[in-house]
Amino acid sequence: VRPTARAAPPAGPPFPHADLDRVQARFVDDRGLVDYAALARDPGDLERYYALVAAASPDSDPALFPTRDERLAYFLNAYNAAVLVTVLRHYPIPSVTAVRTPFPLSVASDKIGFFFLQRITLGGETTSLYELENSIVRARFREPRVHFALNCASLGCPRLPRRAFAPAELDRQLDEETRRFFAEERNLRIDHEARVVHLSSILDWYEGDFTGWYEERHPGRDATLLDYVALYAPPERRADVESARTYDIRFIPYDWRLNDRPPAD
């Protein structure tokens, strides 16, 4: 997934996220759906931003990213932008799983083609979306709220926000996206009659990120997923979460259909 434009690294901080901010404001709706057809017709801002990301990163140009929040905001925005660019390179597709995974890798997963084999560029170095999420964002920052900020172009994902992440507002934005995630029935549903809590599969795949973070802040306590969920559940649902601590947990199957906005009537 090579950039279609070239950009020089910025002369100095702050690293600019304005191009991506415009993309998300123009082409993402309040449901987090992306108008890929319109974006494909007018990709200039996205391609300019991806060119900037390809030219400079916290690893290639550390002076541009003097704070932790500047580095984390860069990587979150770079991931979301690279996902958009990768979708556009293959659009129209019904799902990221439609990006071909060659045999025999396809036996292991139909997502390898999109998340492993599509090579993206950050600061002059090539990597994959999988490596960006796991070897950089998760490994370096140990911040579980990132799971509600990274968008993988699928309906099961957290909603893509209508603004890029901004270093000066990052903590508030991460809180906001995490609370928004748990406010949705598709991600958190409690069946008191059956004594079951239904949670997004994200909580299953990355359980250790959530419980480990909680245990670091509450030494001596064996955390559960509901300990973390209770921190961010909407106030009107918090009592429900607390009353469900002895319930079974079941994980909601992930919806891998593309987060594509349907055409207007």
Side-chain angles (χ1 to χ4, degrees), residues 152-200:
C152 65
S154 304
L155 292 176
C157 294
R159 295 187 192 191
L160 183 62
R162 300 195 68 192
R163 286 199 60 199
F165 291 102
E169 303 175 53
L170 186 59
D171 189 63
R172 179 191 61 76
Q173 287 179 303
L174 290 175
D175 256 8
E176 188 174 275
E177 296 310 317
T178 304
R179 295 183 192 282
R180 180 164 72 163
F181 183 85
F182 288 120
E184 294 189 73
E185 287 280 326
R186 69 187 180 102
N187 302 317
L188 168 61
R189 187 170 69 252
I190 299 173
D191 185 337
H192 290 292
E193 185 176 344
R195 298 179 62 82
V196 172
V197 180
H198 298 271
L199 290 176
S200 164

mmCIF file of all heavy atoms in Angstrom, residues 152-200:
data_model
loop_
_atom_site.group_PDB
_atom_site.id
_atom_site.type_symbol
_atom_site.label_atom_id
_atom_site.label_comp_id
_atom_site.label_asym_id
_atom_site.label_seq_id
_atom_site.Cartn_x
_atom_site.Cartn_y
_atom_site.Cartn_z
ATOM 1 N N CYS A 152 -10.982 -1.136 12.392
ATOM 2 C CA CYS A 152 -10.515 -2.071 11.364
ATOM 3 C C CYS A 152 -11.486 -2.179 10.197
ATOM 4 O O CYS A 152 -11.518 -3.198 9.504
ATOM 5 C CB CYS A 152 -10.242 -3.440 11.973
ATOM 6 S SG CYS A 152 -11.718 -4.274 12.609
ATOM 7 N N ALA A 153 -12.297 -1.144 9.976
ATOM 8 C CA ALA A 153 -13.186 -1.053 8.811
ATOM 9 C C ALA A 153 -14.269 -2.112 8.810
ATOM 10 O O ALA A 153 -14.752 -2.514 7.752
ATOM 11 C CB ALA A 153 -12.386 -1.106 7.504
ATOM 12 N N SER A 154 -14.676 -2.571 9.993
ATOM 13 C CA SER A 154 -15.696 -3.607 10.096
ATOM 14 C C SER A 154 -16.799 -3.162 11.038
ATOM 15 O O SER A 154 -16.567 -2.367 11.961
ATOM 16 C CB SER A 154 -15.078 -4.913 10.604
ATOM 17 O OG SER A 154 -14.006 -5.315 9.761
ATOM 18 N N LEU A 155 -18.002 -3.708 10.821
ATOM 19 C CA LEU A 155 -19.139 -3.300 11.647
ATOM 20 C C LEU A 155 -19.007 -3.753 13.091
ATOM 21 O O LEU A 155 -19.645 -3.192 13.978
ATOM 22 C CB LEU A 155 -20.435 -3.850 11.043
ATOM 23 C CG LEU A 155 -20.859 -3.239 9.706
ATOM 24 C CD1 LEU A 155 -22.104 -3.937 9.176
ATOM 25 C CD2 LEU A 155 -21.114 -1.735 9.849
ATOM 26 N N GLY A 156 -18.188 -4.753 13.354
ATOM 27 C CA GLY A 156 -17.967 -5.176 14.734
ATOM 28 C C GLY A 156 -17.008 -4.288 15.496
ATOM 29 O O GLY A 156 -16.895 -4.390 16.719
ATOM 30 N N CYS A 157 -16.308 -3.400 14.772
ATOM 31 C CA CYS A 157 -15.307 -2.522 15.395
ATOM 32 C C CYS A 157 -15.970 -1.440 16.237
ATOM 33 O O CYS A 157 -17.139 -1.108 16.028
ATOM 34 C CB CYS A 157 -14.483 -1.819 14.327
ATOM 35 S SG CYS A 157 -13.457 -2.896 13.352
ATOM 36 N N PRO A 158 -15.209 -0.835 17.130
ATOM 37 C CA PRO A 158 -15.648 0.438 17.699
ATOM 38 C C PRO A 158 -15.910 1.425 16.566
ATOM 39 O O PRO A 158 -15.282 1.340 15.504
ATOM 40 C CB PRO A 158 -14.444 0.896 18.544
ATOM 41 C CG PRO A 158 -13.660 -0.339 18.781
ATOM 42 C CD PRO A 158 -13.873 -1.228 17.602
ATOM 43 N N ARG A 159 -16.818 2.341 16.782
ATOM 44 C CA ARG A 159 -17.116 3.321 15.734
ATOM 45 C C ARG A 159 -15.893 4.183 15.424
ATOM 46 O O ARG A 159 -15.178 4.595 16.330
ATOM 47 C CB ARG A 159 -18.247 4.246 16.181
ATOM 48 C CG ARG A 159 -19.572 3.562 16.382
ATOM 49 C CD ARG A 159 -20.632 4.609 16.651
ATOM 50 N NE ARG A 159 -21.874 4.022 17.126
ATOM 51 C CZ ARG A 159 -23.016 4.699 17.238
ATOM 52 N NH1 ARG A 159 -23.046 5.994 16.940
ATOM 53 N NH2 ARG A 159 -24.105 4.103 17.676
ATOM 54 N N LEU A 160 -15.684 4.434 14.147
ATOM 55 C CA LEU A 160 -14.657 5.401 13.766
ATOM 56 C C LEU A 160 -15.178 6.790 14.109
ATOM 57 O O LEU A 160 -16.264 7.178 13.663
ATOM 58 C CB LEU A 160 -14.371 5.306 12.270
ATOM 59 C CG LEU A 160 -13.272 6.216 11.726
ATOM 60 C CD1 LEU A 160 -11.923 5.887 12.350
ATOM 61 C CD2 LEU A 160 -13.191 6.104 10.199
ATOM 62 N N PRO A 161 -14.450 7.553 14.929
ATOM 63 C CA PRO A 161 -14.946 8.884 15.297
ATOM 64 C C PRO A 161 -14.886 9.854 14.128
ATOM 65 O O PRO A 161 -14.216 9.600 13.118
ATOM 66 C CB PRO A 161 -14.011 9.316 16.434
ATOM 67 C CG PRO A 161 -12.791 8.498 16.281
ATOM 68 C CD PRO A 161 -13.195 7.215 15.624
ATOM 69 N N ARG A 162 -15.564 10.969 14.283
ATOM 70 C CA ARG A 162 -15.610 11.973 13.221
ATOM 71 C C ARG A 162 -14.486 12.998 13.368
ATOM 72 O O ARG A 162 -14.486 14.021 12.683
ATOM 73 C CB ARG A 162 -16.979 12.662 13.208
ATOM 74 C CG ARG A 162 -18.130 11.688 12.975
ATOM 75 C CD ARG A 162 -19.390 12.416 12.607
ATOM 76 N NE ARG A 162 -19.253 13.029 11.274
ATOM 77 C CZ ARG A 162 -20.113 13.915 10.783
ATOM 78 N NH1 ARG A 162 -21.134 14.316 11.527
ATOM 79 N NH2 ARG A 162 -19.936 14.420 9.575
ATOM 80 N N ARG A 163 -13.550 12.707 14.243
ATOM 81 C CA ARG A 163 -12.368 13.553 14.408
ATOM 82 C C ARG A 163 -11.144 12.674 14.558
ATOM 83 O O ARG A 163 -11.212 11.582 15.114
ATOM 84 C CB ARG A 163 -12.497 14.432 15.656
ATOM 85 C CG ARG A 163 -13.448 15.589 15.537
ATOM 86 C CD ARG A 163 -13.145 16.606 16.620
ATOM 87 N NE ARG A 163 -11.790 17.116 16.512
ATOM 88 C CZ ARG A 163 -11.136 17.731 17.499
ATOM 89 N NH1 ARG A 163 -11.723 17.913 18.672
ATOM 90 N NH2 ARG A 163 -9.905 18.184 17.318
ATOM 91 N N ALA A 164 -10.019 13.154 14.082
ATOM 92 C CA ALA A 164 -8.756 12.487 14.351
ATOM 93 C C ALA A 164 -8.386 12.664 15.822
ATOM 94 O O ALA A 164 -8.892 13.563 16.500
ATOM 95 C CB ALA A 164 -7.662 13.063 13.456
ATOM 96 N N PHE A 165 -7.513 11.813 16.303
ATOM 97 C CA PHE A 165 -7.056 11.950 17.687
ATOM 98 C C PHE A 165 -6.034 13.084 17.778
ATOM 99 O O PHE A 165 -5.142 13.206 16.935
ATOM 100 C CB PHE A 165 -6.470 10.632 18.192
ATOM 101 C CG PHE A 165 -7.523 9.579 18.349
ATOM 102 C CD1 PHE A 165 -7.676 8.567 17.411
ATOM 103 C CD2 PHE A 165 -8.399 9.623 19.427
ATOM 104 C CE1 PHE A 165 -8.669 7.618 17.544
ATOM 105 C CE2 PHE A 165 -9.409 8.676 19.562
ATOM 106 C CZ PHE A 165 -9.539 7.675 18.621
ATOM 107 N N ALA A 166 -6.199 13.915 18.805
ATOM 108 C CA ALA A 166 -5.348 15.092 18.998
ATOM 109 C C ALA A 166 -4.551 14.913 20.284
ATOM 110 O O ALA A 166 -5.134 14.625 21.328
ATOM 111 C CB ALA A 166 -6.213 16.350 19.083
ATOM 112 N N PRO A 167 -3.241 15.074 20.238
ATOM 113 C CA PRO A 167 -2.439 14.853 21.458
ATOM 114 C C PRO A 167 -2.941 15.624 22.673
ATOM 115 O O PRO A 167 -2.989 15.079 23.780
ATOM 116 C CB PRO A 167 -1.037 15.310 21.036
ATOM 117 C CG PRO A 167 -1.011 15.092 19.562
ATOM 118 C CD PRO A 167 -2.395 15.379 19.068
ATOM 119 N N ALA A 168 -3.339 16.877 22.493
ATOM 120 C CA ALA A 168 -3.751 17.698 23.633
ATOM 121 C C ALA A 168 -5.069 17.225 24.243
ATOM 122 O O ALA A 168 -5.375 17.561 25.389
ATOM 123 C CB ALA A 168 -3.871 19.164 23.206
ATOM 124 N N GLU A 169 -5.834 16.454 23.492
ATOM 125 C CA GLU A 169 -7.143 15.992 23.963
ATOM 126 C C GLU A 169 -7.208 14.478 24.094
ATOM 127 O O GLU A 169 -8.287 13.919 24.301
ATOM 128 C CB GLU A 169 -8.237 16.436 22.988
ATOM 129 C CG GLU A 169 -8.317 17.920 22.732
ATOM 130 C CD GLU A 169 -9.350 18.232 21.657
ATOM 131 O OE1 GLU A 169 -10.504 17.787 21.802
ATOM 132 O OE2 GLU A 169 -8.988 18.903 20.676
ATOM 133 N N LEU A 170 -6.080 13.800 23.985
ATOM 134 C CA LEU A 170 -6.095 12.362 23.786
ATOM 135 C C LEU A 170 -6.740 11.608 24.939
ATOM 136 O O LEU A 170 -7.546 10.697 24.723
ATOM 137 C CB LEU A 170 -4.672 11.846 23.541
ATOM 138 C CG LEU A 170 -4.584 10.367 23.179
ATOM 139 C CD1 LEU A 170 -5.385 10.062 21.924
ATOM 140 C CD2 LEU A 170 -3.122 9.953 22.993
ATOM 141 N N ASP A 171 -6.409 11.956 26.175
ATOM 142 C CA ASP A 171 -6.976 11.217 27.313
ATOM 143 C C ASP A 171 -8.499 11.333 27.318
ATOM 144 O O ASP A 171 -9.209 10.333 27.506
ATOM 145 C CB ASP A 171 -6.389 11.742 28.623
ATOM 146 C CG ASP A 171 -6.783 10.870 29.803
ATOM 147 O OD1 ASP A 171 -6.408 9.685 29.823
ATOM 148 O OD2 ASP A 171 -7.481 11.371 30.706
ATOM 149 N N ARG A 172 -9.002 12.530 27.077
ATOM 150 C CA ARG A 172 -10.448 12.716 27.033
ATOM 151 C C ARG A 172 -11.063 11.946 25.870
ATOM 152 O O ARG A 172 -12.121 11.319 26.011
ATOM 153 C CB ARG A 172 -10.789 14.204 26.899
ATOM 154 C CG ARG A 172 -12.298 14.481 26.824
ATOM 155 C CD ARG A 172 -12.599 15.913 26.431
ATOM 156 N NE ARG A 172 -12.077 16.267 25.111
ATOM 157 C CZ ARG A 172 -12.648 15.876 23.964
ATOM 158 N NH1 ARG A 172 -13.739 15.126 23.978
ATOM 159 N NH2 ARG A 172 -12.139 16.248 22.805
ATOM 160 N N GLN A 173 -10.423 11.978 24.722
ATOM 161 C CA GLN A 173 -10.961 11.273 23.568
ATOM 162 C C GLN A 173 -10.987 9.758 23.792
ATOM 163 O O GLN A 173 -11.957 9.083 23.425
ATOM 164 C CB GLN A 173 -10.136 11.595 22.319
ATOM 165 C CG GLN A 173 -10.358 13.000 21.769
ATOM 166 C CD GLN A 173 -9.485 13.268 20.550
ATOM 167 O OE1 GLN A 173 -8.264 13.166 20.612
ATOM 168 N NE2 GLN A 173 -10.111 13.604 19.435
ATOM 169 N N LEU A 174 -9.943 9.221 24.401
ATOM 170 C CA LEU A 174 -9.918 7.782 24.671
ATOM 171 C C LEU A 174 -11.015 7.400 25.665
ATOM 172 O O LEU A 174 -11.678 6.366 25.502
ATOM 173 C CB LEU A 174 -8.544 7.361 25.194
ATOM 174 C CG LEU A 174 -7.410 7.390 24.180
ATOM 175 C CD1 LEU A 174 -6.082 7.064 24.851
ATOM 176 C CD2 LEU A 174 -7.667 6.425 23.016
ATOM 177 N N ASP A 175 -11.205 8.220 26.677
ATOM 178 C CA ASP A 175 -12.304 7.977 27.611
ATOM 179 C C ASP A 175 -13.647 8.003 26.883
ATOM 180 O O ASP A 175 -14.510 7.142 27.104
ATOM 181 C CB ASP A 175 -12.306 9.048 28.709
ATOM 182 C CG ASP A 175 -11.761 8.531 30.029
ATOM 183 O OD1 ASP A 175 -11.244 7.400 30.054
ATOM 184 O OD2 ASP A 175 -11.859 9.250 31.031
ATOM 185 N N GLU A 176 -13.808 8.986 26.043
ATOM 186 C CA GLU A 176 -15.076 9.167 25.319
ATOM 187 C C GLU A 176 -15.368 7.968 24.419
ATOM 188 O O GLU A 176 -16.502 7.458 24.397
ATOM 189 C CB GLU A 176 -14.972 10.436 24.484
ATOM 190 C CG GLU A 176 -16.247 10.879 23.820
ATOM 191 C CD GLU A 176 -16.042 12.228 23.135
ATOM 192 O OE1 GLU A 176 -16.169 13.266 23.812
ATOM 193 O OE2 GLU A 176 -15.730 12.221 21.926
ATOM 194 N N GLU A 177 -14.369 7.488 23.691
ATOM 195 C CA GLU A 177 -14.587 6.354 22.798
ATOM 196 C C GLU A 177 -14.850 5.072 23.581
ATOM 197 O O GLU A 177 -15.669 4.237 23.163
ATOM 198 C CB GLU A 177 -13.389 6.168 21.865
ATOM 199 C CG GLU A 177 -13.149 7.316 20.912
ATOM 200 C CD GLU A 177 -14.403 7.727 20.153
ATOM 201 O OE1 GLU A 177 -15.148 6.833 19.694
ATOM 202 O OE2 GLU A 177 -14.658 8.945 20.029
ATOM 203 N N THR A 178 -14.185 4.900 24.716
ATOM 204 C CA THR A 178 -14.406 3.701 25.528
ATOM 205 C C THR A 178 -15.813 3.707 26.115
ATOM 206 O O THR A 178 -16.520 2.688 26.092
ATOM 207 C CB THR A 178 -13.353 3.612 26.643
ATOM 208 O OG1 THR A 178 -12.044 3.652 26.055
ATOM 209 C CG2 THR A 178 -13.501 2.328 27.445
ATOM 210 N N ARG A 179 -16.252 4.847 26.617
ATOM 211 C CA ARG A 179 -17.611 4.944 27.164
ATOM 212 C C ARG A 179 -18.655 4.764 26.062
ATOM 213 O O ARG A 179 -19.691 4.119 26.287
ATOM 214 C CB ARG A 179 -17.792 6.285 27.885
ATOM 215 C CG ARG A 179 -16.917 6.428 29.110
ATOM 216 C CD ARG A 179 -17.162 7.725 29.867
ATOM 217 N NE ARG A 179 -16.113 7.922 30.853
ATOM 218 C CZ ARG A 179 -16.061 7.284 32.030
ATOM 219 N NH1 ARG A 179 -17.006 6.415 32.341
ATOM 220 N NH2 ARG A 179 -15.075 7.524 32.877
ATOM 221 N N ARG A 180 -18.389 5.306 24.898
ATOM 222 C CA ARG A 180 -19.334 5.150 23.797
ATOM 223 C C ARG A 180 -19.455 3.675 23.407
ATOM 224 O O ARG A 180 -20.549 3.191 23.105
ATOM 225 C CB ARG A 180 -18.891 5.986 22.591
ATOM 226 C CG ARG A 180 -19.834 5.867 21.408
ATOM 227 C CD ARG A 180 -19.630 6.948 20.383
ATOM 228 N NE ARG A 180 -18.408 6.798 19.617
ATOM 229 C CZ ARG A 180 -18.172 7.429 18.462
ATOM 230 N NH1 ARG A 180 -19.070 8.264 17.969
ATOM 231 N NH2 ARG A 180 -17.037 7.258 17.819
ATOM 232 N N PHE A 181 -18.339 2.967 23.423
ATOM 233 C CA PHE A 181 -18.339 1.555 23.074
ATOM 234 C C PHE A 181 -19.248 0.756 24.010
ATOM 235 O O PHE A 181 -20.084 -0.033 23.569
ATOM 236 C CB PHE A 181 -16.902 1.025 23.139
ATOM 237 C CG PHE A 181 -16.749 -0.409 22.719
ATOM 238 C CD1 PHE A 181 -16.594 -0.728 21.377
ATOM 239 C CD2 PHE A 181 -16.742 -1.429 23.654
ATOM 240 C CE1 PHE A 181 -16.440 -2.052 20.981
ATOM 241 C CE2 PHE A 181 -16.588 -2.750 23.264
ATOM 242 C CZ PHE A 181 -16.434 -3.070 21.923
ATOM 243 N N PHE A 182 -19.094 0.977 25.307
ATOM 244 C CA PHE A 182 -19.867 0.192 26.272
ATOM 245 C C PHE A 182 -21.303 0.700 26.432
ATOM 246 O O PHE A 182 -22.118 0.042 27.092
ATOM 247 C CB PHE A 182 -19.149 0.151 27.617
ATOM 248 C CG PHE A 182 -17.922 -0.717 27.607
ATOM 249 C CD1 PHE A 182 -16.671 -0.182 27.885
ATOM 250 C CD2 PHE A 182 -18.016 -2.061 27.295
ATOM 251 C CE1 PHE A 182 -15.544 -0.984 27.871
ATOM 252 C CE2 PHE A 182 -16.882 -2.872 27.269
ATOM 253 C CZ PHE A 182 -15.648 -2.335 27.552
ATOM 254 N N ALA A 183 -21.616 1.802 25.821
ATOM 255 C CA ALA A 183 -22.997 2.285 25.845
ATOM 256 C C ALA A 183 -23.854 1.586 24.796
ATOM 257 O O ALA A 183 -25.084 1.689 24.832
ATOM 258 C CB ALA A 183 -23.037 3.797 25.613
ATOM 259 N N GLU A 184 -23.208 0.872 23.876
ATOM 260 C CA GLU A 184 -23.942 0.229 22.794
ATOM 261 C C GLU A 184 -24.293 -1.209 23.147
ATOM 262 O O GLU A 184 -23.435 -1.998 23.571
ATOM 263 C CB GLU A 184 -23.103 0.256 21.516
ATOM 264 C CG GLU A 184 -22.866 1.650 20.961
ATOM 265 C CD GLU A 184 -22.216 1.588 19.594
ATOM 266 O OE1 GLU A 184 -22.910 1.232 18.628
ATOM 267 O OE2 GLU A 184 -21.016 1.883 19.506
ATOM 268 N N GLU A 185 -25.554 -1.568 22.913
ATOM 269 C CA GLU A 185 -26.031 -2.922 23.196
ATOM 270 C C GLU A 185 -25.258 -3.969 22.392
ATOM 271 O O GLU A 185 -25.115 -5.111 22.837
ATOM 272 C CB GLU A 185 -27.524 -3.022 22.860
ATOM 273 C CG GLU A 185 -28.434 -2.317 23.854
ATOM 274 C CD GLU A 185 -28.682 -3.141 25.114
ATOM 275 O OE1 GLU A 185 -28.739 -4.388 25.010
ATOM 276 O OE2 GLU A 185 -28.807 -2.536 26.185
ATOM 277 N N ARG A 186 -24.759 -3.582 21.241
ATOM 278 C CA ARG A 186 -24.048 -4.566 20.415
ATOM 279 C C ARG A 186 -22.735 -5.008 21.068
ATOM 280 O O ARG A 186 -22.156 -6.029 20.683
ATOM 281 C CB ARG A 186 -23.779 -3.992 19.019
ATOM 282 C CG ARG A 186 -22.756 -2.872 19.004
ATOM 283 C CD ARG A 186 -22.630 -2.220 17.627
ATOM 284 N NE ARG A 186 -21.635 -1.159 17.649
ATOM 285 C CZ ARG A 186 -20.401 -1.283 17.164
ATOM 286 N NH1 ARG A 186 -20.012 -2.414 16.617
ATOM 287 N NH2 ARG A 186 -19.561 -0.256 17.215
ATOM 288 N N ASN A 187 -22.248 -4.233 22.030
ATOM 289 C CA ASN A 187 -20.979 -4.527 22.694
ATOM 290 C C ASN A 187 -21.134 -4.969 24.139
ATOM 291 O O ASN A 187 -20.244 -5.640 24.682
ATOM 292 C CB ASN A 187 -20.078 -3.286 22.657
ATOM 293 C CG ASN A 187 -19.811 -2.817 21.247
ATOM 294 O OD1 ASN A 187 -19.549 -3.616 20.355
ATOM 295 N ND2 ASN A 187 -19.876 -1.511 21.034
ATOM 296 N N LEU A 188 -22.216 -4.571 24.773
ATOM 297 C CA LEU A 188 -22.470 -4.919 26.173
ATOM 298 C C LEU A 188 -23.968 -5.111 26.352
ATOM 299 O O LEU A 188 -24.736 -4.161 26.224
ATOM 300 C CB LEU A 188 -21.969 -3.807 27.110
ATOM 301 C CG LEU A 188 -22.412 -3.906 28.578
ATOM 302 C CD1 LEU A 188 -21.894 -5.196 29.225
ATOM 303 C CD2 LEU A 188 -21.936 -2.679 29.354
ATOM 304 N N ARG A 189 -24.356 -6.338 26.630
ATOM 305 C CA ARG A 189 -25.771 -6.654 26.819
ATOM 306 C C ARG A 189 -25.892 -7.616 28.008
ATOM 307 O O ARG A 189 -25.143 -8.588 28.087
ATOM 308 C CB ARG A 189 -26.341 -7.281 25.552
ATOM 309 C CG ARG A 189 -27.828 -7.498 25.567
ATOM 310 C CD ARG A 189 -28.337 -7.886 24.184
ATOM 311 N NE ARG A 189 -27.892 -9.221 23.766
ATOM 312 C CZ ARG A 189 -26.982 -9.470 22.836
ATOM 313 N NH1 ARG A 189 -26.365 -8.452 22.239
ATOM 314 N NH2 ARG A 189 -26.657 -10.699 22.518
ATOM 315 N N ILE A 190 -26.795 -7.333 28.909
ATOM 316 C CA ILE A 190 -26.947 -8.161 30.114
ATOM 317 C C ILE A 190 -28.324 -8.802 30.102
ATOM 318 O O ILE A 190 -29.342 -8.114 29.994
ATOM 319 C CB ILE A 190 -26.746 -7.320 31.391
ATOM 320 C CG1 ILE A 190 -25.329 -6.723 31.401
ATOM 321 C CG2 ILE A 190 -26.966 -8.175 32.633
ATOM 322 C CD1 ILE A 190 -25.071 -5.746 32.519
ATOM 323 N N ASP A 191 -28.340 -10.118 30.209
ATOM 324 C CA ASP A 191 -29.587 -10.888 30.268
ATOM 325 C C ASP A 191 -29.734 -11.405 31.689
ATOM 326 O O ASP A 191 -29.136 -12.420 32.049
ATOM 327 C CB ASP A 191 -29.526 -12.032 29.258
ATOM 328 C CG ASP A 191 -30.832 -12.809 29.162
ATOM 329 O OD1 ASP A 191 -31.608 -12.776 30.136
ATOM 330 O OD2 ASP A 191 -31.056 -13.465 28.130
ATOM 331 N N HIS A 192 -30.514 -10.679 32.501
ATOM 332 C CA HIS A 192 -30.644 -11.070 33.900
ATOM 333 C C HIS A 192 -31.398 -12.387 34.057
ATOM 334 O O HIS A 192 -31.100 -13.171 34.966
ATOM 335 C CB HIS A 192 -31.342 -9.958 34.685
ATOM 336 C CG HIS A 192 -30.507 -8.727 34.860
ATOM 337 N ND1 HIS A 192 -29.377 -8.702 35.642
ATOM 338 C CD2 HIS A 192 -30.611 -7.484 34.317
ATOM 339 C CE1 HIS A 192 -28.833 -7.494 35.606
ATOM 340 N NE2 HIS A 192 -29.559 -6.731 34.797
ATOM 341 N N GLU A 193 -32.342 -12.629 33.186
ATOM 342 C CA GLU A 193 -33.118 -13.871 33.297
ATOM 343 C C GLU A 193 -32.233 -15.093 33.063
ATOM 344 O O GLU A 193 -32.316 -16.089 33.789
ATOM 345 C CB GLU A 193 -34.272 -13.859 32.292
ATOM 346 C CG GLU A 193 -35.191 -15.053 32.416
ATOM 347 C CD GLU A 193 -36.383 -14.962 31.479
ATOM 348 O OE1 GLU A 193 -36.666 -13.861 30.968
ATOM 349 O OE2 GLU A 193 -37.036 -16.006 31.258
ATOM 350 N N ALA A 194 -31.363 -15.013 32.055
ATOM 351 C CA ALA A 194 -30.454 -16.119 31.758
ATOM 352 C C ALA A 194 -29.161 -16.048 32.559
ATOM 353 O O ALA A 194 -28.359 -16.981 32.520
ATOM 354 C CB ALA A 194 -30.124 -16.131 30.262
ATOM 355 N N ARG A 195 -28.960 -14.940 33.283
ATOM 356 C CA ARG A 195 -27.745 -14.711 34.069
ATOM 357 C C ARG A 195 -26.497 -14.786 33.172
ATOM 358 O O ARG A 195 -25.543 -15.506 33.438
ATOM 359 C CB ARG A 195 -27.638 -15.705 35.239
ATOM 360 C CG ARG A 195 -28.789 -15.567 36.230
ATOM 361 C CD ARG A 195 -28.670 -16.583 37.356
ATOM 362 N NE ARG A 195 -27.460 -16.402 38.144
ATOM 363 C CZ ARG A 195 -27.309 -15.507 39.133
ATOM 364 N NH1 ARG A 195 -28.304 -14.708 39.465
ATOM 365 N NH2 ARG A 195 -26.167 -15.427 39.800
ATOM 366 N N VAL A 196 -26.554 -13.991 32.077
ATOM 367 C CA VAL A 196 -25.470 -13.969 31.110
ATOM 368 C C VAL A 196 -25.143 -12.520 30.757
ATOM 369 O O VAL A 196 -26.045 -11.707 30.550
ATOM 370 C CB VAL A 196 -25.851 -14.727 29.817
ATOM 371 C CG1 VAL A 196 -24.784 -14.539 28.744
ATOM 372 C CG2 VAL A 196 -26.044 -16.213 30.106
ATOM 373 N N VAL A 197 -23.844 -12.228 30.692
ATOM 374 C CA VAL A 197 -23.363 -10.958 30.158
ATOM 375 C C VAL A 197 -22.797 -11.231 28.776
ATOM 376 O O VAL A 197 -21.917 -12.080 28.609
ATOM 377 C CB VAL A 197 -22.274 -10.330 31.053
ATOM 378 C CG1 VAL A 197 -21.797 -9.014 30.456
ATOM 379 C CG2 VAL A 197 -22.776 -10.123 32.465
ATOM 380 N N HIS A 198 -23.306 -10.510 27.788
ATOM 381 C CA HIS A 198 -22.806 -10.624 26.424
ATOM 382 C C HIS A 198 -21.851 -9.462 26.165
ATOM 383 O O HIS A 198 -22.227 -8.295 26.317
ATOM 384 C CB HIS A 198 -23.965 -10.577 25.435
ATOM 385 C CG HIS A 198 -24.948 -11.702 25.599
ATOM 386 N ND1 HIS A 198 -24.810 -12.903 24.957
ATOM 387 C CD2 HIS A 198 -26.068 -11.797 26.360
ATOM 388 C CE1 HIS A 198 -25.810 -13.692 25.283
ATOM 389 N NE2 HIS A 198 -26.593 -13.052 26.130
ATOM 390 N N LEU A 199 -20.625 -9.787 25.778
ATOM 391 C CA LEU A 199 -19.599 -8.771 25.541
ATOM 392 C C LEU A 199 -19.029 -8.923 24.131
ATOM 393 O O LEU A 199 -18.970 -10.026 23.585
ATOM 394 C CB LEU A 199 -18.451 -8.916 26.545
ATOM 395 C CG LEU A 199 -18.710 -8.563 28.009
ATOM 396 C CD1 LEU A 199 -17.465 -8.879 28.834
ATOM 397 C CD2 LEU A 199 -19.077 -7.095 28.155
ATOM 398 N N SER A 200 -18.565 -7.812 23.585
ATOM 399 C CA SER A 200 -17.868 -7.831 22.306
ATOM 400 C C SER A 200 -16.698 -8.808 22.350
ATOM 401 O O SER A 200 -16.008 -8.958 23.369
ATOM 402 C CB SER A 200 -17.341 -6.427 21.994
ATOM 403 O OG SER A 200 -16.370 -6.475 20.973
#
